[in-house]
């Protein structure tokens, strides 16, 4: 996709540069116009991926690139999605799956309440790894009498938790990527024009 966009921008900017530039240094300016989109977009992409990977590793949350993504839960557990965004699993820190096909979830302290794709309700104690299953939401709610359960879609839970953990880091990484990609184009300009 980056190659296609870069190619389109290169053709447009190269053509535009050909018609508006003076004969002096026209060839170098056209070469810069053809190289600049590739340098800008690839630099933006590479710096962005590296920066987001560093933040992801540091914050212990996946940025959602690829076919598997996750957010941390209490006690080194995680909500993990693989391929299907509608279904997740709750895993321990060692990779053991406690509950699979999670479609709705709520985390309350060290406890996770939820619903699976097969309309089965569950309770997970994140301290002991104890899992209990229930046939109805009413049976599940009986475990937590102090508050009505508020089960949300697993993807919504992932997005909210990821955004809370990541904060403004993705925006800062994108700004840094933009600055570096502009710098890369400027370096090409210095090389080709002078």
């Amino acid at each position: 996709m980056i190659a296609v966009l870069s190619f389109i921008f290169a053709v447009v900017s190269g053509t535009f540069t050909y018609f508006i530039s003076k004969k002096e240094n026209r060839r170098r300016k056209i070469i810069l116009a053809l190289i600049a989109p590739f340098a800008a977009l690839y630099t933006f992409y590479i710096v962005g991926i590296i920066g987001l990977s560093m933040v992801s590793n540091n914050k212990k949350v996946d940025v959602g690139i690829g076919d598997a993504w996750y957010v941390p839960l209490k006690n080194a557990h995680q909500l993990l999605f693989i391929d299907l965004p509608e279904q997740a699993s709750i895993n321990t820190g060692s990779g053991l799956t406690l509950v699979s096909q999670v479609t709705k979830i709520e985390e309350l302290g060290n406890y996770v309440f939820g619903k699976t794709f097969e309309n089965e309700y569950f309770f997970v104690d994140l301290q002991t790894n104890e899992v209990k299953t229930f046939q109805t939401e009413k049976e599940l709610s009986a475990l937590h009498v102090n508050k009505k359960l508020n089960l949300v879609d697993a993807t919504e839970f992932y997005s909210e938790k990821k955004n809370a953990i990541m904060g403004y880091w993705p925006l800062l990484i994108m700004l840094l990527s933009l600055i570096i990609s502009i710098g890369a184009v400027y370096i090409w300009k210095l090389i080709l024009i002078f």
Side-chain angles (χ1 to χ4, degrees):
M1 190 165 111
I2 294 172
V4 171
L5 282 174
S6 297
F7 180 74
I8 292 169
F9 290 143
V11 169
V12 170
S13 64
T15 305
F16 187 69
T17 302
Y18 176 79
F19 288 114
I20 65 164
S21 64
K22 298 176 185 171
K23 296 238 184 227
E24 180 184 318
N25 288 333
R26 177 183 280 173
R27 184 172 161 235
R28 289 181 180 173
K29 289 179 182 178
I30 291 172
I31 292 171
L32 176 62
L34 295 173
I35 291 174
F38 287 94
L41 292 177
Y42 275 103
T43 302
F44 184 82
Y45 174 74
I46 291 168
V47 171
I49 292 294
I50 290 170
L52 288 174
S53 297
M54 290 170 52
V55 171
S56 173
N57 190 36
N58 188 31
K59 298 278 189 175
K60 306 292 186 237
V61 62
D62 189 75
V63 294
I65 299 172
D67 62 350
W69 58 101
Y70 59 88
V71 288
L73 300 172
K74 299 279 187 192
N75 299 320
H77 289 71
Q78 63 181 204
L79 181 69
L80 173 69
F81 295 83
I82 298 177
D83 292 330
L84 298 173
E86 301 85 25
Q87 297 178 32
S89 62
I90 297 173
N91 296 350
T92 63
S94 61
L96 175 68
T97 300
L98 299 176
V99 181
S100 60
Q101 296 184 338
V102 175
T103 58
K104 294 188 179 274
I105 187 170
E106 181 178 8
E107 182 181 28
L108 296 169
N110 289 316
Y111 306 115
V112 173
F113 300 86
K115 179 181 177 183
T116 66
F117 183 71
E118 297 169 343
N119 290 323
E120 189 174 73
Y121 294 87
F122 65 86
F123 162 81
V124 179
D125 185 334
L126 298 176
Q127 289 180 319
T128 63
N129 291 339
E130 176 187 9
V131 178
K132 293 182 181 177
T133 58
F134 305 93
Q135 295 302 313
T136 66
E137 186 174 358
K138 186 176 181 180
E139 292 174 3
L140 176 65
S141 296
L143 286 178
H144 192 64
V145 293
N146 297 338
K147 181 180 176 260
K148 185 177 184 322
L149 289 176
N150 183 28
L151 300 177
V152 296
D153 287 334
T155 53
E156 183 180 333
F157 179 86
Y158 164 80
S159 295
E160 289 175 6
K161 186 133 184 162
K162 179 189 79 157
N163 291 340
I165 292 170
M166 295 285 279
Y168 292 107
W169 280 105
L171 184 61
L172 293 173
I173 296 295
M174 295 309 227
L175 181 62
L176 179 65
S177 297
L178 180 64
I179 291 168
I180 292 174
S181 67
I182 290 170
V185 172
Y186 184 73
I187 289 170
W188 275 105
K189 179 182 176 185
L190 291 177
I191 292 170
L192 292 172
I193 301 297
F194 296 110

